[in-house]
Amino acid sequence: MDDRPRLPLVRALARSSFSAAVALAVLAAALSTSVVTGAEFRTRGSEEVVRAIDARPNDGSGYWPDFSNTGYANTPANAGGLGLGAYPGKLTDYTSGMSADKPLTLRFPDNSVISYKRFLSLKVLIYGDNLTFVGCLFEGTNPNDNLVQIYSDNNIKFLYSTFKPSSYAMPPGNDGTVSSSHTKPGTPFDKSWQLATTMKEAVAVMDHNDIWGNAGMIMVTGFPGRPSTWTNNYIHDMADTSHDVYHHDGIGPQSEGDGGPMIVDHNTLASVGNTNALALQGSGVYDHISFTNNYVSGWGYAVSIGVVNNATNITVTDNVFSAELEQLYGFLYGNIWGGSARGSTWRRNLIQARTGDDNTSYSTADNGRYLWPTGTATHATDYTG
């Protein structure tokens, strides 16, 4: 993280006393297609077991969210338990005459399910509450602004959808064999989009989405009993990484604080960039944030949980922090970690390092060793504070 002004949120976000039991129930419902247990993954119906530390996105294992298992083209039958069929092989344009130069306004009745539609626009403005988008494509070009702008009062869901620049089928520099391009600039600024943003108090459920060519995702972090939920998403290949126009954030920025509850589980968060994969960048209190089972590589400081040491009930467990991509600073902004005294837990977070990785702060001798929230050195034993 650096000292440039943070992007403001449209609405202040609420603190919560959301219970761990409710969080785990929501998380269990979200993880319907695979079993993740600590450092191992088993595909249902298969005897093959892959350890998290041995896998990378787009390596053919299917362990981490990547091009093989996220986005509209990989939508399975009954995604989200909605009874829909699998991706039918092509999308239907929402309307004729769509253009990356023109905004597009969508108005749906509350509780609508929208499936297998393509939305091409300068900016998509979505109206309606408790909407669910399944297997959809949102693409356009809107530098320094929102590609998707959401006006929902309570809830919004995006399942197996793709958010991308309209000028590219694949991220520049990513041929599908790496988690994210190892080279700059990625999508050029003038062909990029910046954000998807909740403009009201809707809490988002984001699952199995493919998101790239942008600079962040500003979504409400949650309210009591309604956590913001990010599971199985592939967030990668930020735009304009050669310059300082954008903050390159994955989930976020959330720049005011006083956020939570929030569940971030089993995502790939990988990109060259200057700020954070999890960008909770405010000075207010973050409470009940769960960051678990994720693949994280690149960024500036990869994870930020506030800029002062006041967060409570934070869970950071079973993540793989990979040296695959160049990293500017470190894995945790400011080494800010309140620990067990504030109800927080940091356990089983490992460094993954291979020969030829771009983060040269680590070598193969660090592979499989524990990362602690204090400092950048690796350790033979887990953190216990």
Side-chain angles (χ1 to χ4, degrees), residues 26 29 59 62 82 92 107 114 139 145 150 170 198 239 256 273 289 321 328 334 343 355 371 384:
V26 173
D59 66 358
L82 297 171
T92 301
R107 298 183 185 275
I114 304 97
E139 59 178 344
D145 206 343
I150 302 160
M170 288 283 287
T198 46
E256 295 181 359
I289 307 293
F321 291 92
L328 297 183
T355 301
L371 180 71
T384 58

Side-chain angles (χ1 to χ4, degrees), residues 55-311:
R56 284 190 173 176
N58 294 315
D59 66 358
S61 70
Y63 184 100
W64 297 111
D66 59 20
F67 287 126
S68 74
N69 50 33
T70 65
Y72 68 88
N74 294 298
T75 311
N78 199 33
L82 297 171
L84 299 171
Y87 172 59
K90 64 178 182 178
L91 299 174
T92 301
D93 282 354
Y94 172 72
T95 189
S96 60
M98 295 187 300
S99 167
D101 299 321
K102 298 188 301 184
L104 180 65
T105 298
L106 313 179
R107 298 183 185 275
F108 297 105
D110 292 355
N111 307 306
S112 292
V113 176
I114 304 97
S115 60
Y116 304 124
K117 294 289 190 293
R118 174 179 177 254
F119 304 96
L120 171 65
S121 179
L122 174 72
K123 177 184 292 188
V124 179
L125 299 100
I126 299 175
Y127 293 86
D129 196 26
N130 196 31
L131 304 178
T132 301
F133 291 85
V134 181
C136 293
L137 169 62
F138 298 86
E139 59 178 344
T141 302
N142 202 357
N144 251 357
D145 206 343
N146 295 320
L147 174 64
V148 179
Q149 200 159 291
I150 302 160
Y151 295 88
S152 297
D153 291 318
N154 295 292
N155 302 291
I156 188 84
K157 292 182 182 179
F158 296 94
L159 313 179
Y160 286 95
S161 293
T162 300
F163 302 77
K164 62 179 278 297
S166 55
S167 298
Y168 300 96
M170 288 283 287
N174 187 344
D175 63 358
T177 63
V178 294
S179 67
S180 186
S181 175
H182 289 217
T183 58
K184 301 175 181 181
T187 303
F189 177 79
D190 62 353
K191 297 184 183 300
S192 71
W193 59 281
Q194 187 180 17
L195 300 164
T197 302
T198 46
M199 305 299 290
K200 300 177 78 174
E201 293 184 348
V203 172
V205 171
M206 306 290 291
D207 182 66
H208 282 96
N209 300 299
D210 180 11
I211 302 166
W212 61 273
N214 65 316
M217 299 288 286
I218 300 182
M219 302 286 193
V220 169
T221 56
F223 297 98
R226 294 192 297 133
S228 171
T229 305
W230 300 74
T231 53
N232 308 302
N233 299 289
Y234 182 28
I235 300 176
H236 58 110
D237 288 288
M238 296 294 104
D240 193 39
T241 52
S242 288
H243 305 99
D244 290 331
V245 178
Y246 284 146
H247 288 172
H248 303 115
D249 297 313
I251 299 172
Q254 201 280 14
S255 55
E256 295 181 359
D258 298 323
M262 189 176 194
I263 296 169
V264 183
D265 184 86
H266 199 242
N267 302 277
T268 291
L269 304 167
S271 183
V272 173
N274 55 30
T275 40
N276 317 124
L278 179 63
L280 308 182
Q281 300 167 344
S283 59
V285 176
Y286 292 100
D287 180 63
H288 281 96
I289 307 293
S290 176
F291 188 77
T292 57
N293 302 299
N294 300 290
Y295 179 93
V296 185
S297 189
W299 312 96
Y301 284 103
V303 174
S304 175
I305 306 173
V307 296
V308 294
N309 196 355
N310 59 4

